[in-house]
Amino acid sequence: MTLYGVGLGPGEADLVTVRGKEVLEECDVVYSPGRLSRTVALKHVDESKIGDLDFPMTKDEEKLRAAWKEAAAEIAPNARDGDVAFVTLGDPNVYSTFGHLRRTIDAFHPDVELEIVPGVSAVTAFATAMGVEIEAGAGLSLREAASGHSPTGPDRMILFKVTDAPATHEGLVEAGYDVTYGRRLFMEQGETIVTDDPEEIDERDYYTLAYAEKEDLEVEQATAAFQTDDSDTSSEDDSTANGEPVTDGGRLVDLERAEGCEGGDYGGHR
């Protein structure tokens, strides 16, 4: 019998992984820590299977510890008798309430089996939503920017919990960053906004993130040569249609066409 920490992804119900969907359908109880995660979970399980938990939005550590212990005491008996899931937006191991619950379970209910089902995190989903490519070899740092905080240092940063965008923006611009903001990316609840104007998202919203990149950052991609190299040294006599050299006068290409493997869809001898 197992407690599963299931990542629901960035917010749209069809971005839950196949494994996550299977686990939710098989579990006896699916615990939800909040309204948004509950809404996504309900697209995959009946409401009768949902178990609600109360996690107060506070920085008071005593209140938080009491809430985690209460949640663990609720979940543990059911996880001993059957399979249960605790769902969270994004990934259970990235800026997630599940981490606190897992440590509490380990401390007070060490006999409970745990398994984590990863989900698509905002760390990666933001890149698609905001049209940003984090190329191979690039450095990228995660930071929190609640209450107007403006962390600086790395060339590229993803900032979570941007609850005072104008204040955060001011500090980042002064430090030499270009900044783009995304609010409720891939979420079915609320308005999705992508903007470089912090005044468009000046009201507090926990689900706001930012991508900050140093203004003078220069990235030379290997593929940049394709845009400047106009030379074409190949000819029909010594290359195939895709530019690969042919040493047999074209007989191999003819053979591949005859065998139905033109274009590379074959189990292969090359």
Side-chain angles (χ1 to χ4, degrees):
M1 307 305 174
T2 304
L3 164 61
Y4 294 91
V6 179
L8 296 177
E12 292 182 355
D14 59 357
L15 290 178
V16 174
T17 66
V18 173
R19 171 65 173 155
K21 179 179 175 63
E22 291 174 347
V23 167
L24 294 180
E25 292 173 345
E26 294 169 0
C27 281
D28 303 305
V29 185
V30 176
Y31 289 99
S32 165
R35 180 176 56 84
L36 292 178
S37 59
R38 176 191 176 100
T39 299
V40 178
L42 282 172
K43 297 294 181 67
H44 302 284
V45 299
D46 188 80
E47 189 169 8
S48 62
K49 292 177 63 172
I50 298 292
D52 288 319
L53 299 171
D54 182 26
F55 292 97
M57 295 296 290
T58 178
K59 293 185 178 181
D60 187 315
E61 292 190 355
E62 288 192 10
K63 291 182 179 179
L64 289 171
R65 281 193 291 265
W68 297 330
K69 288 178 67 176
E70 184 177 340
E74 160 72 21
I75 292 172
N78 291 323
R80 293 188 185 100
D81 296 336
D83 290 331
V84 303
F86 180 94
V87 297
T88 177
L89 292 178
D91 184 275
N93 277 344
V94 181
Y95 287 21
S96 168
T97 302
F98 181 75
H100 301 300
L101 176 65
R102 176 181 55 78
R103 288 186 290 273
T104 307
I105 290 282
D106 286 343
F108 294 98
H109 310 277
D111 59 317
V112 172
E113 295 291 330
L114 288 134
E115 182 176 329
I116 295 175
V117 180
V120 179
S121 171
V123 176
T124 52
F126 94 96
T128 296
M130 299 170 73
V132 173
E133 178 190 1
I134 308 300
E135 70 278 358
L140 184 66
S141 297
L142 307 182
R143 297 287 191 274
E144 284 194 16
S147 304
H149 184 50
S150 302
T152 59
D155 289 337
R156 300 177 180 86
M157 297 184 294
I158 305 173
L159 308 180
F160 282 77
K161 306 176 184 178
V162 184
T163 54
D164 187 346
T168 295
H169 189 82
E170 182 178 357
L172 292 173
V173 170
E174 288 180 358
Y177 287 91
D178 289 322
V179 192
T180 305
Y181 299 90
R183 171 165 293 174
R184 295 184 176 254
L185 304 176
F186 292 107
M187 287 190 174
E188 297 176 348
Q189 306 83 17
E191 181 185 7
T192 296
I193 301 175
V194 176
T195 180
D196 57 6
D197 182 0
E199 299 301 328
E200 290 188 31
I201 50 173
D202 60 352
E203 73 278 7
R204 180 184 177 89
D205 190 310
Y206 180 83
Y207 296 104
T208 302
L209 57 79
Y211 175 67
E213 182 177 289
K214 281 290 184 67
E215 294 176 349
D216 58 355
L217 183 65
E218 295 184 3
V219 179
E220 180 65 27
Q221 298 284 356
T223 50
F226 297 155
Q227 300 175 5
T228 58
D229 186 5
D230 295 328
S231 62
D232 183 8
T233 58
S234 64
S235 68
E236 293 183 359
D237 294 333
D238 61 4
S239 69
T240 68
N242 62 5
E244 294 183 359
V246 175
T247 58
D248 62 353
R251 289 188 297 275
L252 177 58
V253 174
D254 291 338
L255 177 62
E256 288 177 354
R257 287 177 180 150
E259 294 180 350
C261 51
E262 183 182 9
D265 290 328
Y266 57 98
H269 49 269
R270 188 185 290 178

